[in-house]
Amino acid sequence: MTSHTSTTPATPAPARTLGRTGPTVFPLGLGCMGMSALYGEADRTESVATIHAALEAGVTLLDTGDFYGMGHNELLINEALRTAPAALREQALTSVKFGALRTVEGGFTGYDGRPEAVKNFLAYSLQRLGRDHVDVYRIARVDPQVPIEETVGAIAEAVQAGHVRHIGLSEVGADSLRRAAATAPIADLQIEYSLVSRGIEEEILPTARELGIGVTAYGVLSRGLISGHFTRDRLLAPGDFRGMSPRFQGDNLHRNLDLVEALRKVAEGRGITVAQAAIAWVLSRGEDIVPLIGARRRDRLAEALGALEATLDAADLAAIEAAVPVGAAAGERYPAAQMAHLDSEH
């Protein structure tokens, strides 16, 4: 299979459902964070055009956070939906993370999962998005000062009121997953999952499946690290999160890009790109997993969508895993201070 320039798959991709209680969505979602934050400057016009192209290709799930650019990302999605044809606007589903506390300088100072904070964050998100409900609402990281039952219970009240359709979670461990699911129906868990981040396979993913909770997988290209486009001599723009990421530092970067070159040999032997191989591998892990693609440009979106047409058999998948073995990545997926906030890593 070769990479397509069109953003429309040749054949409609079979939909996937987020857990037992969640919405049915296109098998790839669009992660919009990079259009507003953490990867340096983004082109607003191209960002809006990319969201439009995604919707035209059939993508339904748009993922954001109220703290991406301190509201910028939600306003960007509002603009994209407002200027899209009505039929495309109506198919769009919004997945929103909340709870991160920010500073004027852009720093993160913690998370707030108190019920009154949930209601406050939601009110602002609805205003910025220009919608009367959020389709999937989740706290970005568990607030260690607030029982998960209280945070989820507040979202459940918003579901009852019609302001939220489904409850999601983000980066929680198996115990928190069980406690949340005992409080209210949980549609999906958003968590990092890729060839170089397979920690969920041991306990978190089996627990989600036992409970009937879907997975929206972010970081499927490890922030561009395993996209096939990142070079050893690349200079990152000021403010690019990857400048602080352990996997992009010194020897770690060189070791990780060696893995990418091994993956490139496998991908090219099958007529697909490195990114398409990495995305197709995540797609192959189960019908209950929806990868989120962080494309900021239409050409990257088109490449990602091509993964849906990659037909990989068991031997192909084994070759991909041999190129990037479990645990082969050098460096943690976040700096130590941010790893400490991950309930999923405790």
Side-chain angles (χ1 to χ4, degrees), residues 134-309:
V134 168
D135 293 286
V136 189
Y137 201 52
R138 70 189 86 236
I139 191 164
R141 301 285 186 268
V142 174
D143 180 348
Q145 305 303 318
V146 179
I148 191 69
E149 292 87 349
E150 292 186 19
T151 303
V152 167
I155 306 174
E157 289 181 12
V159 172
Q160 292 268 306
H163 304 314
V164 171
R165 293 281 189 267
H166 305 281
I167 304 170
L169 295 167
S170 175
E171 286 289 354
V172 303
D175 178 61
S176 296
L177 205 54
R178 290 186 187 283
R179 289 168 54 196
T183 303
I186 306 297
D188 74 309
L189 166 64
Q190 188 171 120
I191 197 163
E192 187 163 353
Y193 189 37
S194 72
L195 279 166
V196 292
S197 295
R198 296 181 60 174
I200 72 169
E201 292 174 350
E202 188 173 333
E203 186 179 15
I204 294 173
L205 183 56
T207 302
R209 286 178 166 157
E210 175 196 332
L211 297 170
I213 296 170
V215 169
T216 41
Y218 75 88
V220 293
L221 298 179
S222 195
R223 298 163 185 80
L225 181 63
I226 59 170
S227 67
H229 301 298
F230 204 94
T231 58
R232 295 177 194 272
D233 58 354
R234 178 168 171 181
L235 294 175
L236 295 170
D240 191 318
F241 159 81
R242 292 170 291 191
M244 299 182 296
S245 173
R247 288 186 174 172
F248 289 83
Q249 305 294 319
D251 289 343
N252 286 350
L253 177 63
H254 291 290
R255 288 168 58 191
N256 291 331
L257 290 181
D258 286 344
L259 297 174
V260 174
E261 290 313 304
L263 181 59
R264 193 186 305 277
K265 290 187 178 71
V266 176
E268 288 178 350
R270 285 148 185 83
I272 59 177
T273 69
V274 174
Q276 288 166 345
I279 296 165
W281 179 85
V282 177
L283 282 164
S284 78
R285 304 303 286 173
E287 296 291 319
D288 54 347
I289 297 173
V290 175
L292 298 173
I293 306 305
R296 301 195 290 172
R297 300 179 349 215
R298 284 168 287 182
D299 59 339
R300 294 286 194 255
L301 172 68
E303 180 183 17
L305 289 168
L308 294 169
E309 296 173 45

Side-chain angles (χ1 to χ4, degrees), residues 7-9 26 30 48-62 77-94 131 133 135 301:
T7 51
T8 306
F26 189 79
L30 182 64
V48 170
T50 301
I51 294 173
H52 287 169
L55 294 172
E56 286 163 9
V59 172
T60 49
L61 192 65
L62 303 179
I77 290 172
N78 181 338
E79 178 184 337
L81 293 179
R82 213 174 50 242
T83 54
L88 296 183
R89 183 166 60 248
E90 286 162 15
Q91 83 186 27
L93 302 175
T94 53
R131 294 167 83 83
H133 70 275
D135 293 286
L301 172 68

Side-chain angles (χ1 to χ4, degrees), residues 3-17:
S3 167
H4 292 271
T5 54
S6 167
T7 51
T8 306
T11 53
R16 297 188 169 193
T17 302

